[in-house]
Amino acid sequence: EVRLVESGGGLVQAGGSLRLSCAASGFTFDDYAIGWFRQVPGKEREGISCISRRDGSTYYTDSAKGRFTISSDSAKNTVYLQMNSLKPEDTAVYYCAAVWVILPVNKDPRPCTVKNINYWGQGTQVTVSS
């Protein structure tokens, strides 16, 4: 059974930090990229960042550059999203997701989009107060 389990969400003040974790199981972790997405009620789910387990390449959307860092721990089959300098507009449900990839995601980030995802986690709420 494929499982992606997010944790680490919560309530934080503006300017603060959170680290989200995504624990993966049930599939060959190293054949996939793990991405982080977020969604606000009434809006489309948007991509934030993606890391390939094949080669360690990373990709960030403009909303994440400079504040968020994605990393992975192969021994734990876990991917992290370190979020710093959080803003109220970062408030959302954050999802991790897995997509099978071949090319480095910094060269071809197309797999790290909502329509191409193979597996989704259940989401974790992040709330940033002003």
Side-chain angles (χ1 to χ4, degrees):
E1 178 189 5
V2 173
R3 294 191 70 196
L4 294 166
V5 180
E6 303 95 335
S7 61
L11 174 65
V12 64
Q13 288 188 331
S17 299
L18 282 175
R19 189 178 79 156
L20 305 183
S21 300
C22 173
S25 62
F27 60 98
T28 307
F29 192 55
D30 288 348
D31 287 346
Y32 286 75
I34 303 296
W36 285 98
F37 298 77
R38 66 186 181 187
Q39 189 169 23
V40 175
K43 294 189 176 181
E44 292 186 353
R45 192 168 297 187
E46 65 167 342
I48 302 170
S49 184
C50 198
I51 184 167
S52 171
R53 288 296 311 139
R54 283 189 183 274
D55 54 28
S57 58
T58 59
Y59 170 74
Y60 295 92
T61 62
D62 289 343
S63 60
K65 289 178 182 176
R67 297 190 298 129
F68 296 176
T69 303
I70 194 169
S71 62
S72 68
D73 183 334
S74 59
K76 297 181 179 180
N77 275 16
T78 299
V79 170
Y80 304 98
L81 184 69
Q82 178 67 43
M83 305 188 295
N84 298 327
S85 302
L86 284 163
K87 306 173 183 179
E89 50 264 43
D90 293 317
T91 295
V93 177
Y94 283 69
Y95 298 89
C96 71
V99 58
W100 189 81
V101 293
I102 296 178
L103 297 176
V105 296
N106 58 329
K107 302 297 184 185
D108 182 12
R110 289 175 298 175
C112 299
T113 53
V114 172
K115 66 178 182 178
N116 291 320
I117 293 299
N118 300 118
Y119 308 113
W120 289 98
Q122 83 288 350
T124 186
Q125 176 70 45
V126 171
T127 303
V128 184
S129 64
S130 58

